[in-house]
Amino acid sequence: QSESAGVAEIEVTVLSPTGQNVPVKLTQQDDYEHSIEFVPQAAGHYKATIMYGGEAVPNSPITFAVQSAGGKSDSHASGNGLEVAHRGKETSFVVFCPTTPNVQIERSDEQAERIEPRIKNMGNNQWKIFYTILTVGRYEIRASCTNRGPLPGSPWNISCLDPAKVTPIGGWGSLLDGSGKLVLPSKIVFDTSMAGPGELTCYVDDAEVMVEKQGNGKSVLFLSDDGLSKGEHSFDLTWSGLPISQSPGFVYVTGMTIGSDRVVLTGRGLTTAQVGEVSHFTIDATDALSGKPEVHMSYDDGETLPVTLLQPRPNELIWLASYNPHKSTGGPLSLEVEWNGRIIKGCPLTIPVGPAVDAAKVLCSGEGLRNGVVGREIKSWIDTRRAGPGELTAHCAGPRKVAYCELYDHGDATFTLNVKPQEPGRHTLTIKYGGQHVPGSPYTLRVVGAPDASKVRVYGPGIEHGVLATFQSRFIVDTRGAGAGQLTVRVRGPKGAFRVEMQRESQKDRTILC
């Protein structure tokens, strides 16, 4: 399936178990779908490599097993060596086969590094396979028996891991107290980039602790003391089931908390608010460790305003606070945040409340609200002068990618919106004022690919030499793959121009008969 990959040539090669090329039939079933067929001549492992436009497609090459017709199924393999390998340590699994099995171990990426296994006869049709991998990564194990074909489950995809490379940034020493103990609550950022393709798992007293996986080989672990009694608690840290050697076996809860001066407030909702518009701010107590916030908000006239607190990650001491003022006549709002019963630094805060925003009075215009071309800016104009003070936002999403949006403020409550799509297809443009949709939002934009005249094909007798009496003047213009554009055809002869008629079955048909 190649609909989102553009137009390019597909190449498929299939290698037999002996390394010979196998004839392949490639059939185009639809504009973007192709089927691949071949007839295996022998049992074993076959490897298919699929290239699109000269580049390998994701997960290529693909290895799969072909069983012999009517073969016995009592041959099989089992053992931890078919699941995971520890870098630099000998790993093994057992094969049940009447004859010496054929075993191949190969790295799955473009390096295709081969690992030589050691095979030991254990008797009773049992064979123990030993191997040692020195480089972390993903590997493929293929095993077969003579005259019986591949074993059930072959090929196996395994990961070679090095749990010793899972280390906290700054080292374990930076996380321990003076007596060498890991005291909760604690936040640990791990570097796992050199440990291989695995997953970090943590348990405290047999209760799993969630791990946040970040980019660039980083994982974050938030260890809270909530619900834990004072004293020692078991701590189990593994990398895809393999223990992390330098990790402490216990964590400790002292019952002591750090003061409210470490809590930090951020967000636009701390400085201004609008009637009928939800305002937000963040309470970050990462450095304050154990505790919970309490928030109090009220008008100058004494009326209280409820504040909603949301903790996105239970193991992280960060809360998102939101409130929605219903009037501006009661004076500014007073905000007070407490941590463990103590008012944090900077509180109470005074927040002015502005009048309500009327998004229905926002005017939007321009061709950019309807259609556009990939790679070109789509412009529209927005007038908020009659809508009152508020925040204007725009967001445009395509089938798979988000389009770049830029709002240019003219300084008189009018704006120019520039949208630059990255892909063709239907886009949804959302324009909000004061958190509310403006009239017509969300808009549906039809974005087409940039025109490419080099992709247009012209063929037929009408563009070839001929005799006037029998000349056939029709020809076909095929614009498939050329993007959006206006087709223009002009024919001139010795005595001037000809009238050209163009026909197609439907408005969406990209093949035109002239």
Side-chain angles (χ1 to χ4, degrees), residues 7 12 33 38 70 106 124 137 141 171 182 201-202 207 232 295 310 331 381 438 491 514:
V7 179
V12 181
E33 291 186 3
F38 72 94
E106 188 175 273
N124 295 325
I141 299 178
L182 179 58
T201 307
C202 176
E232 182 181 272
V295 181
L310 176 65
W381 291 267
V438 304
V491 180
C514 300

Short mmCIF file of all heavy atoms in Angstrom, two decimals, residues 7 12 33 38 70 106 124 137 141 171 182 201-202 207 232 295 310 331 381 438 491 514:
data_model
loop_
_atom_site.label_atom_id
_atom_site.label_comp_id
_atom_site.label_asym_id
_atom_site.label_seq_id
_atom_site.Cartn_x
_atom_site.Cartn_y
_atom_site.Cartn_z
N VAL A 7 4.60 8.68 -6.04
CA VAL A 7 4.71 7.77 -7.17
C VAL A 7 6.17 7.38 -7.36
O VAL A 7 7.04 8.24 -7.49
CB VAL A 7 4.17 8.42 -8.46
CG1 VAL A 7 4.31 7.47 -9.65
CG2 VAL A 7 2.71 8.83 -8.28
N VAL A 12 11.02 -5.86 -6.03
CA VAL A 12 10.90 -6.94 -5.04
C VAL A 12 11.85 -8.06 -5.43
O VAL A 12 11.85 -8.52 -6.58
CB VAL A 12 9.46 -7.48 -4.95
CG1 VAL A 12 9.39 -8.58 -3.91
CG2 VAL A 12 8.49 -6.37 -4.62
N GLU A 33 -2.03 -0.03 -4.58
CA GLU A 33 -1.90 -1.34 -3.97
C GLU A 33 -1.30 -2.33 -4.96
O GLU A 33 -1.67 -2.34 -6.14
CB GLU A 33 -3.26 -1.87 -3.49
CG GLU A 33 -3.82 -1.10 -2.30
CD GLU A 33 -5.09 -1.73 -1.75
OE1 GLU A 33 -5.47 -2.79 -2.27
OE2 GLU A 33 -5.66 -1.15 -0.81
N PHE A 38 4.93 -15.56 -5.33
CA PHE A 38 5.99 -16.43 -5.80
C PHE A 38 5.70 -17.85 -5.31
O PHE A 38 4.93 -18.07 -4.38
CB PHE A 38 7.36 -15.95 -5.30
CG PHE A 38 7.60 -16.17 -3.83
CD1 PHE A 38 8.25 -17.29 -3.35
CD2 PHE A 38 7.17 -15.23 -2.91
CE1 PHE A 38 8.47 -17.48 -2.01
CE2 PHE A 38 7.38 -15.41 -1.56
CZ PHE A 38 8.03 -16.55 -1.11
N GLY A 70 3.11 -31.88 4.17
CA GLY A 70 2.94 -33.16 4.86
C GLY A 70 4.03 -33.48 5.86
O GLY A 70 4.15 -34.60 6.32
N GLU A 106 21.20 -13.66 13.00
CA GLU A 106 21.63 -12.52 12.19
C GLU A 106 21.02 -11.24 12.73
O GLU A 106 19.86 -11.22 13.15
CB GLU A 106 21.21 -12.75 10.74
CG GLU A 106 21.74 -11.74 9.75
CD GLU A 106 21.38 -12.12 8.32
OE1 GLU A 106 22.13 -12.88 7.70
OE2 GLU A 106 20.32 -11.68 7.84
N ASN A 124 18.67 -38.13 22.86
CA ASN A 124 17.20 -38.19 22.80
C ASN A 124 16.62 -37.09 21.90
O ASN A 124 15.61 -36.46 22.22
CB ASN A 124 16.59 -38.08 24.21
CG ASN A 124 16.95 -39.25 25.09
OD1 ASN A 124 17.06 -40.39 24.62
ND2 ASN A 124 17.18 -38.98 26.37
N GLY A 137 21.12 -4.69 20.14
CA GLY A 137 20.29 -4.47 18.96
C GLY A 137 19.27 -5.57 18.81
O GLY A 137 19.09 -6.43 19.68
N ILE A 141 16.58 -15.14 14.80
CA ILE A 141 17.05 -16.52 14.89
C ILE A 141 16.19 -17.38 13.98
O ILE A 141 14.96 -17.40 14.10
CB ILE A 141 16.98 -17.05 16.34
CG1 ILE A 141 17.87 -16.20 17.26
CG2 ILE A 141 17.40 -18.51 16.40
CD1 ILE A 141 17.81 -16.62 18.71
N GLY A 171 24.67 9.58 37.77
CA GLY A 171 25.10 8.43 38.55
C GLY A 171 24.23 8.19 39.77
O GLY A 171 23.52 9.08 40.24
N LEU A 182 18.54 5.54 49.13
CA LEU A 182 17.67 6.23 48.17
C LEU A 182 16.38 6.58 48.90
O LEU A 182 15.55 5.70 49.20
CB LEU A 182 17.39 5.33 46.96
CG LEU A 182 16.46 5.92 45.89
CD1 LEU A 182 17.01 7.22 45.35
CD2 LEU A 182 16.23 4.92 44.76
N THR A 201 11.32 -1.27 33.77
CA THR A 201 10.21 -1.66 34.65
C THR A 201 10.65 -1.48 36.10
O THR A 201 11.79 -1.82 36.46
CB THR A 201 9.80 -3.12 34.42
OG1 THR A 201 9.54 -3.31 33.02
CG2 THR A 201 8.54 -3.45 35.20
N CYS A 202 9.75 -0.94 36.94
CA CYS A 202 10.09 -0.68 38.34
C CYS A 202 8.96 -1.15 39.25
O CYS A 202 7.78 -0.94 38.95
CB CYS A 202 10.35 0.82 38.54
SG CYS A 202 10.66 1.27 40.27
N ALA A 207 4.44 -3.34 43.90
CA ALA A 207 3.51 -2.45 43.19
C ALA A 207 4.28 -1.76 42.06
O ALA A 207 5.32 -1.14 42.31
CB ALA A 207 2.92 -1.41 44.14
N GLU A 232 11.88 0.99 55.49
CA GLU A 232 12.50 0.38 54.31
C GLU A 232 11.46 -0.31 53.43
O GLU A 232 10.53 -0.95 53.94
CB GLU A 232 13.55 -0.64 54.78
CG GLU A 232 14.30 -1.33 53.68
CD GLU A 232 15.28 -2.34 54.25
OE1 GLU A 232 16.42 -1.96 54.56
OE2 GLU A 232 14.89 -3.53 54.39
N VAL A 295 -5.89 25.20 46.92
CA VAL A 295 -6.04 26.47 46.20
C VAL A 295 -7.33 27.15 46.65
O VAL A 295 -8.39 26.52 46.70
CB VAL A 295 -6.05 26.23 44.67
CG1 VAL A 295 -6.18 27.56 43.94
CG2 VAL A 295 -4.79 25.50 44.23
N LEU A 310 -5.96 19.21 38.42
CA LEU A 310 -5.76 17.95 37.68
C LEU A 310 -4.28 17.59 37.73
O LEU A 310 -3.42 18.40 37.40
CB LEU A 310 -6.21 18.12 36.22
CG LEU A 310 -5.99 16.93 35.30
CD1 LEU A 310 -6.85 15.74 35.75
CD2 LEU A 310 -6.33 17.29 33.86
N GLY A 331 -14.88 42.93 41.19
CA GLY A 331 -13.50 43.30 41.44
C GLY A 331 -12.54 42.21 40.99
O GLY A 331 -12.96 41.16 40.50
N TRP A 381 -8.20 36.53 6.23
CA TRP A 381 -8.19 37.72 7.07
C TRP A 381 -9.23 37.58 8.19
O TRP A 381 -10.33 37.05 7.98
CB TRP A 381 -8.51 38.96 6.21
CG TRP A 381 -7.37 39.25 5.28
CD1 TRP A 381 -6.32 40.09 5.49
CD2 TRP A 381 -7.15 38.67 3.99
NE1 TRP A 381 -5.46 40.08 4.43
CE2 TRP A 381 -5.95 39.21 3.49
CE3 TRP A 381 -7.85 37.74 3.22
CZ2 TRP A 381 -5.42 38.85 2.25
CZ3 TRP A 381 -7.34 37.38 1.97
CH2 TRP A 381 -6.14 37.94 1.49
N VAL A 438 -15.04 30.64 16.22
CA VAL A 438 -15.61 31.77 15.48
C VAL A 438 -16.63 31.22 14.48
O VAL A 438 -16.64 30.01 14.20
CB VAL A 438 -14.50 32.55 14.75
CG1 VAL A 438 -13.45 33.02 15.74
CG2 VAL A 438 -13.87 31.71 13.65
N VAL A 491 -3.61 23.81 -30.80
CA VAL A 491 -3.10 23.14 -32.00
C VAL A 491 -3.06 24.17 -33.12
O VAL A 491 -4.08 24.82 -33.43
CB VAL A 491 -3.99 21.94 -32.39
CG1 VAL A 491 -3.44 21.28 -33.64
CG2 VAL A 491 -4.09 20.94 -31.24
N CYS A 514 -8.80 14.45 -26.25
CA CYS A 514 -8.80 15.68 -27.05
C CYS A 514 -9.02 15.33 -28.52
O CYS A 514 -8.50 14.31 -29.00
CB CYS A 514 -7.47 16.43 -26.90
SG CYS A 514 -7.13 16.91 -25.20
#
